[in-house]
């Protein structure tokens, strides 16, 4: 947006004016003190007094304006970038996300996106201020004492260059590894927290803790190396400042003795380098920030370059009428091709898809909701499924997975994902239809906490909650993917009977995916399949 670009440019203008105010403030202050020491009449100092006040206010005002404009622009950039990253991930989820570790994906979405703001908050403002301050101070020195001007410039830039070289050689280049190492640590922490009970049960907890400790130590080592490099580089700048001031004092004193320089300007000549080196000092961590920015940008660019295996269609899917699958298959990225089962399904009917693991049952479900592209042969309402927009498919087809995804929070919060404006009566009604309300009523009702990954609910209750969410959303085709995988036989039969009945009572068509042939009795038709690899 043009107004964001304008705010950013005005922010850099304010940054330049802050540097100018800082230089002139120090120059006017030292000149005021020097002239006052000569006991001139107070009226001859009033101009300098006003200048000191003006530059002091200007420096603070321009600094505030710079922060306001650049931070506002940066936050808008982050907002836009997070949306772009999510939009890139959404079409390839969930199967396409397997190329990323969970912690790695979190690091990209949070830390790496946040790191990109530092280009205009930490890197460019310091660079602009350093250039402006150096140019202004050099001009003042050349005006006061031309013989010192070139030597002064050479000392300042050689000191800054030396500081950069020292910082690079002592390890600040390792800043690029921070993002990668932090992502690996996040992955380990997420895995350890989610499987803590398993690790403890099998005695693996100590090994996991040791691995996390090693990763943490490696990250600390990298950050310490960067801090050490920054400290050494800062020391080089301090030495450069001392030398610059010493040279300015010696040459300035000689010029005063020779009569080529008024003595009241000597203090300004010696102290002005402080302003330049102050901005140089700020620029050193900005160099490290730029390395981190580049590393994070590369990781974000990898996400923004992602493309779905097959582009989404453009047509909108209307209310479900029919499904036909004939001679269809799915080809995966590694070249593996799996034939999909041949079947037909009409409105208000149910179908059981039976087969062992790996036969293509769940693959068909992923095709129907747009998670995977097919190589043709799948028709929805008489048209190829690839003609429909992925979002349109998910609005009409609801998938209740083997392990339904529930978010930490209450039952009510999980249901309102499907229909935010639903009343409490609607929520209770749909929970009653799937046979879950009676159990929840004995706890905290809609306020019952589900826990992380639904750990406060049983496997059957999680499946019922997943179905309740689908029914509430108004999907007309419901796919139940192995809803009884972790249940005993009697409970499995009761759950499937209730889930299918609840769905059809709502006028929904149902596809039941299962490896148990005894469950087909609850559906109108059944298709028994075996995997076919091409």
């Amino acid at each position: 947006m043009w107004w964001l670009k304008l705010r950013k440019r005005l922010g850099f203008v304010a940054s330049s004016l802050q540097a100018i105010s800082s230089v002139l403030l120090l120059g006017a202050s030292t000149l005021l003190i020097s002239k006052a020491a000569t006991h001139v009449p107070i009226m001859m100092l009033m101009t300098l007094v006003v200048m000191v006040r003006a530059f002091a206010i200007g420096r603070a005002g321009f600094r505030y304006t710079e922060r306001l404009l650049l931070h506002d622009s940066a936050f808008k950039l982050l907002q836009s970038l997070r949306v772009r990253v999510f939009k890139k991930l959404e079409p390839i989820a969930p199967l396409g996300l397997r190329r990323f570790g969970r912690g790695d994906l979190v690091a990209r979405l949070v830390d790496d996106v946040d790191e990109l703001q530092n280009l205009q908050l930490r890197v460019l403002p310091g660079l602009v201020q350093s250039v402006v301050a150096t140019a202004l101070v050099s001009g003042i020195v050349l005006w006061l004492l031309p013989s010192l001007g070139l030597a002064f410039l050479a000392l300042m830039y050689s000191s800054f260059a030396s500081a950069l070289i020292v910082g690079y050689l002592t390890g600040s280049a390792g800043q690029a590894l921070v993002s990668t190492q932090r992502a690996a640590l996040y992955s380990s922490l997420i895995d350890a927290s989610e499987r803590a009970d398993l690790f403890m049960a099998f005695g693996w907890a100590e090994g996991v803790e040791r691995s996390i400790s090693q990763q943490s130590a490696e990250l600390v080592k990298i950050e310490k190396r960067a801090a050490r490099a920054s400290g050494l580089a800062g020391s080089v700048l301090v030495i450069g400042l001392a030398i610059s001031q010493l040279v300015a004092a010696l040459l300035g004193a000689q010029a005063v003795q020779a009569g080529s320089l008024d003595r009241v300007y000597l203090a300004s000549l010696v102290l002005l380098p402080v302003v330049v080196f102050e901005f140089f000092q700020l620029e050193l961590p900005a160099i490290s920030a730029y390395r981190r920015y580049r590393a994070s940008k590369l990781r974000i660019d990898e996400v923004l370059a992602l493309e779905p295996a097959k582009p989404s269609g453009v047509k909108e899917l209307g209310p479900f009428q029919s499904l036909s699958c004939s001679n269809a298959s799915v080809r995966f990225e590694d070249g593996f091709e799996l034939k999909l089962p041949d079947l037909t399904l009409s409105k208000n009917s149910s179908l059981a898809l039976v087969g062992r693991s790996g036969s293509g049952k769940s693959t068909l479900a992923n095709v129907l909701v747009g998670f995977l592209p097919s190589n043709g042969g799948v028709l929805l309402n008489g048209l190829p499924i690839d003609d429909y927009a992925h979002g349109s498919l998910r609005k009409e087809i609801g998938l209740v997975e083997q392990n339904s995804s529930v978010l930490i929070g209450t039952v009510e919060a999980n249901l309102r994902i499907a229909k935010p404006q639903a009343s409490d009566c609607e929520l209770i009604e749909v929970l009653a239809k799937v046979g879950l309300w009676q159990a929840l009523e004995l706890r905290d009702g809609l306020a019952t906490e589900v826990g992380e990954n639904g750990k406060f609910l049983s496997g059957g209750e999680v499946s019922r909650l997943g179905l309740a969410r689908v029914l509430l959303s108004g999907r007309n085709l419901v796919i139940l993917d192995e809803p009884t995988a972790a249940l005993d036989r009697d409970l499995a039969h009761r759950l499937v009977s209730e889930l299918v009945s609840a769905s059809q009572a709502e006028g929904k068509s149902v596809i039941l995916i299962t490896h148990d042939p005894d469950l087909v009795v609850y559906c109108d038709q059944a298709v028994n399949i075996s995997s076919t690899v091409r």
Side-chain angles (χ1 to χ4, degrees), residues 12-251:
F12 289 130
V13 170
S15 182
S16 302
L17 292 175
Q18 179 199 341
I20 293 172
S21 297
S22 297
V23 172
L24 296 181
L25 174 62
L26 182 58
S29 300
T30 54
L31 186 58
L32 174 62
I33 294 171
S34 297
K35 280 205 169 187
T38 62
H39 303 289
V40 297
I42 188 68
M43 294 302 297
M44 298 182 64
L45 301 177
M46 291 306 297
T47 301
L48 287 174
V49 170
V50 173
M51 289 175 63
V52 169
R53 289 177 177 174
F55 293 139
I57 294 172
R59 184 178 68 167
F62 290 132
R63 179 177 176 82
Y64 174 79
T65 304
E66 173 219 338
R67 294 296 178 90
L68 181 65
L69 293 174
L70 291 183
H71 276 77
D72 181 63
S73 174
F75 293 155
K76 296 293 185 184
L77 169 69
L78 295 187
Q79 177 185 346
S80 172
L81 184 59
R82 283 201 176 94
V83 173
R84 286 176 59 201
V85 171
F86 184 81
K87 284 184 175 179
K88 277 292 182 179
L89 292 174
E90 188 268 338
I92 67 170
L95 301 179
L97 301 182
R98 292 176 179 174
R99 70 189 73 183
F100 304 106
R102 296 184 63 184
D104 179 44
L105 198 56
V106 170
R108 290 174 194 255
L109 282 170
V110 181
D111 291 346
D112 287 337
V113 171
D114 282 344
E115 196 65 54
L116 297 191
Q117 69 181 314
N118 288 331
L119 179 65
Q120 69 182 58
L121 294 184
R122 295 186 180 181
V123 179
L124 294 180
L127 181 63
V128 169
Q129 290 175 336
S130 297
V131 171
V132 170
T134 303
L136 182 57
V137 169
S138 300
I140 293 173
V141 171
L142 284 171
W143 174 62
L144 292 176
L145 191 61
S147 60
L148 178 60
L150 294 179
F152 182 70
L153 276 174
L155 277 171
M156 285 194 299
Y157 283 116
S158 61
S159 298
F160 187 56
S162 300
L164 291 181
I165 292 172
V166 169
Y168 183 83
L169 293 179
T170 53
S172 71
Q175 284 286 349
L177 300 175
V178 170
S179 297
T180 304
Q181 188 64 30
R182 186 180 289 124
L185 180 59
Y186 281 175
S187 293
S188 298
L189 288 171
I190 290 174
D191 189 53
S193 62
E194 291 185 347
R195 304 181 185 180
D197 52 350
L198 179 66
F199 293 149
M200 293 178 67
F202 287 90
W204 299 337
E206 186 176 345
V208 172
E209 291 174 3
R210 186 162 51 249
S211 174
I212 291 175
S213 178
Q214 290 173 351
Q215 288 178 309
S216 180
E218 183 63 28
L219 179 60
V220 170
K221 187 187 299 183
I222 294 173
E223 292 176 337
K224 279 185 176 180
R225 192 184 308 144
R228 189 184 308 116
S230 179
L232 289 173
S235 300
V236 172
L237 277 184
V238 171
I239 295 172
L241 172 61
I243 294 174
S244 298
Q245 289 184 300
L246 181 61
V247 171
L250 291 174
L251 295 181

